[in-house]
Amino acid sequence: MAPVYALDPYYLGITVLVTTGYQLLGFAIAWTFQFDKITDFTGGSNFFLLALLTLLMGNTFYTRNIVASVFVMVWAVRIAAFLLYRVLKTGSDSRFDDIRAHFFKFLGFWIGQILWVWTVSLPVTILNSPAISDTTRTGSNPDFGTSRDIAGIVIWSLGFVIEAVADLQKFHSKMSKTSPKNKPVTAGLWKYSRHPPYFGEMLCWWGIWIIAISPAMDGALPSSRKSALFGSVVSPLFTFVLLMFGSGMPTAEKSTARKYYLMSHGDNVRDENAWKNYKHYLKSTSILIPIPPALYRPLPEFIKRSILLDFPFYQFDEGKDGQAAIEEVRESQNP
């Protein structure tokens, strides 16, 4: 272990290399065969690979390291299996329709996935690294079972259940032939949040980070190593920023609004009530934090737009965005 410790004490280099190689292999397969059925599976399974690899590379297996690593692996198996099953059932992933045939655009997505996997895995990567785990033999790591460990377990468990249940509820509803097509899914957790899987995923990574920082809180670690553990907060923060401002909610909100707007407007109106139903859903359903509609609906708009994170840039402008959507449909039908 000494050479690895000297060259890469926090496992940052080896996890970058493994992640890059794994994702580029996935890209090569997806690009060669022009399909995206393995894209999300490759992302999710990469988390499993890093957690297992860094755990097994250690000299000794500590309870905290095992728990944090197993939590990451369980989360990874669940999300990779679900996303693979979903894309196999639906046949394709519409997110890649505009980039699948463009080499550099498609490669850009996979490079982004490298950054996502490596960054979000940092708490368990650093916890399992020799810079942290080797020092536990000197008594610098508190016994597992601290208040932070318990809090982390509770937060992760809650997040995992919310994410898994919400994914299944929406998938079942979308696959059901009896579900109404002119209104959003409101089954189960979707009645209380417009994006419960995102809320659950945020909780999962906050839980992992809280478990991972115990050695920095109660142990006698050198300050540089404490800083490394605290610095791994970029994992839950990156998750929050990505889902709130990147490829998560902004994309989902606008595309969903566009779908229901076009059902009630334009040249091919399919259901005049669809847009009305969707606007009622927006007023009644919290964007992220699950809140009963009866409590959420009467809240002042400024609270919804600030404290409850339903920021104005998520809103679909009927004049600007609506007209653009109609024109886009017209152009596609009359090239």
Side-chain angles (χ1 to χ4, degrees):
M1 185 60 64
V4 175
Y5 184 93
L7 295 174
D8 194 10
Y10 296 105
Y11 287 163
L12 302 182
I14 192 169
T15 51
V16 164
L17 291 175
V18 170
T19 302
T20 301
Y22 190 64
Q23 293 302 315
L24 290 182
L25 175 62
F27 165 72
I29 295 172
W31 169 257
T32 300
F33 296 100
Q34 283 294 292
F35 75 157
D36 40 55
K37 291 181 173 59
I38 66 167
T39 305
D40 287 326
F41 175 80
T42 307
S45 58
N46 202 155
F47 284 96
F48 182 96
L49 180 60
L50 293 188
L52 181 62
L53 176 66
T54 56
L55 179 65
L56 295 180
M57 286 176 65
N59 287 329
T60 308
F61 298 112
Y62 300 100
T63 303
R64 180 172 293 106
N65 299 58
I66 294 172
V67 170
S69 300
V70 168
F71 277 3
V72 172
M73 288 187 280
V74 169
W75 178 86
V77 167
R78 203 285 309 176
I79 198 166
F82 171 74
L83 294 177
L84 178 62
Y85 176 77
R86 186 177 68 178
V87 76
L88 289 176
K89 290 288 289 185
T90 56
S92 64
D93 192 329
S94 60
R95 293 177 301 164
F96 304 107
D97 289 346
D98 295 330
I99 67 172
R100 193 183 300 111
H102 300 277
F103 182 86
F104 289 107
K105 289 183 179 180
F106 200 32
L107 177 61
F109 171 85
W110 289 83
I111 292 174
Q113 193 150 266
I114 292 172
L115 177 63
W116 169 57
V117 174
W118 184 81
T119 302
V120 176
S121 294
L122 281 176
V124 74
T125 296
I126 295 174
L127 177 66
N128 287 340
S129 71
I132 304 301
S133 290
D134 277 9
T135 59
T136 60
R137 288 176 291 179
T138 65
S140 62
N141 194 354
D143 291 338
F144 183 76
T146 67
S147 58
R148 284 173 300 282
D149 292 327
I150 303 304
I153 290 171
V154 171
I155 292 171
W156 181 89
S157 301
L158 181 62
F160 182 80
V161 170
I162 290 174
E163 186 176 15
V165 169
D167 276 340
L168 288 175
Q169 288 173 337
K170 185 167 188 177
F171 182 74
H172 179 267
S173 182
K174 293 185 74 172
M175 292 292 102
S176 174
K177 295 181 179 180
T178 60
S179 297
K181 305 302 180 184
N182 66 344
K183 60 179 62 176
V185 174
T186 56
L189 293 169
W190 296 87
K191 180 178 180 180
Y192 307 102
S193 169
R194 305 208 296 270
H195 302 284
Y198 292 163
F199 181 69
E201 185 166 338
M202 292 175 190
L203 290 182
C204 281
W205 289 106
W206 278 112
I208 295 295
W209 180 74
I210 290 171
I211 294 171
I213 63 170
S214 272
M217 298 295 289
D218 295 336
L221 286 174
S223 59
S224 61
R225 297 175 190 179
K226 288 184 178 182
S227 297
L229 281 174
F230 285 128
S232 66
V233 72
V234 296
S235 166
L237 290 178
F238 185 85
T239 300
F240 176 81
V241 170
L242 182 66
L243 295 179
M244 289 293 301
F245 306 107
S247 61
M249 283 156 48
T251 302
E253 283 288 301
K254 285 294 179 72
S255 64
T256 303
R258 180 182 185 278
K259 168 187 171 182
Y260 289 104
Y261 184 84
L262 289 175
M263 288 178 69
S264 300
H265 298 82
D267 303 325
N268 300 300
V269 174
R270 287 171 287 165
D271 191 309
E272 295 182 351
N273 293 318
W275 182 240
K276 185 188 303 181
N277 293 338
Y278 183 71
K279 290 198 292 185
H280 176 75
Y281 173 71
L282 293 182
K283 293 180 180 179
S284 305
T285 313
S286 170
I287 192 169
L288 182 67
I289 303 169
I291 300 174
L295 297 179
Y296 182 80
R297 194 178 297 113
L299 290 175
E301 284 297 307
F302 78 89
I303 292 180
K304 295 179 180 179
R305 298 286 181 263
S306 55
I307 297 173
L308 296 181
L309 308 176
D310 195 355
F311 301 124
F313 66 83
Y314 292 134
Q315 309 306 307
F316 184 89
D317 187 292
E318 294 186 46
K320 179 182 176 182
D321 298 324
Q323 187 59 39
I326 292 173
E327 293 298 329
E328 185 178 334
V329 171
R330 287 173 179 167
E331 289 178 6
S332 66
Q333 293 176 342
N334 302 286

